[in-house]
Amino acid sequence: ANKKGAVVTAPALNLCVNTNMELYQAFWGMNRVDKTQFPFPYAQLVKLMTIVYVFSYPFVLEPSCAQLTPFAMLIICIGFFGCEAVAEIL
C-alpha cells in the first residue's frame, strides 16, 4: 500500500484551484481594461493638461537648476509627451 509519486491532499488541491481562479479573474479584468476605448474628450483633456504642465514647469524648475533648466526640460518633455503618445496608441 505504498504510493509512489506526489500525493496531493484535498485542501492543497482546493487552494491551487482557488488561486488559479483568482488569476483567471484578474486576467479577464485586465483584458477588459485593455479593450476599453479611451474617450476622445478625455484624451483631449489629458493632452491639454500635459501641455500646460510641461510649459509651466520651467518656471518652477529654474531656481533650483539655473543653467541646466533647458536640458532638464528636454528630458522631461520627451518623457511626458512620449508617455502621452504611447497612451493614445494603447
Side-chain angles (χ1 to χ4, degrees), residues 1-22:
N2 287 336
K3 293 184 180 180
K4 291 189 178 187
V7 177
V8 180
T9 61
L13 186 59
N14 190 26
L15 179 66
C16 289
V17 169
N18 287 340
T19 304
N20 282 338
M21 285 304 296
E22 289 174 10

Side-chain angles (χ1 to χ4, degrees), residues 33-61:
V33 169
D34 181 46
K35 300 301 179 200
T36 302
Q37 289 187 350
F38 203 56
F40 184 67
Y42 187 70
Q44 285 180 324
L45 183 64
V46 168
K47 186 178 287 289
L48 178 66
M49 294 301 288
T50 302
I51 289 171
V52 168
Y53 182 78
V54 166
F55 285 113
S56 65
Y57 193 61
F59 299 108
V60 175
L61 196 62

